[in-house]
Amino acid sequence: MRTLRCAAAVEAASLALLLANLLTVHTEVVTSLGGPVHGTAYLIAVLAVRQASADRAARWQAWIPGIGGLLAVRRLGRIPARG
């Protein structure tokens, strides 16, 4: 669950950074570094949700770019842990 929380935060923050860069100065260095960071965090969040829970709604929420990981973390926090 820690991996999911971290990936979700990085995913949301990197998307915010990319959008802010797009709307302001549009620096190519920020885009070149931020894009792969965002994409990697997105994929890690999707895979972490898949591994953490069998909840179908959380798995679908994780596929929403930018905020999906945060939505999945919120949903999984409400569901009692398995085991």
Side-chain angles (χ1 to χ4, degrees), residues 11-51:
E11 178 190 5
S14 63
L15 181 62
L17 177 70
L18 287 168
L19 290 175
N21 182 51
L22 181 66
L23 295 174
T24 58
V25 292
H26 197 62
T27 304
E28 191 171 328
V29 173
V30 174
T31 305
S32 296
L33 294 174
V37 169
H38 175 69
T40 303
Y42 173 70
L43 292 175
I44 290 171
V46 169
L47 293 174
V49 170
R50 183 171 175 85
Q51 187 178 26

Side-chain angles (χ1 to χ4, degrees), residues 2-3 9 12 16 18 28 48 53 61 65 68-69 76:
R2 175 190 275 170
T3 302
L18 287 168
E28 191 171 328
S53 175
Q61 285 177 341
L76 293 176

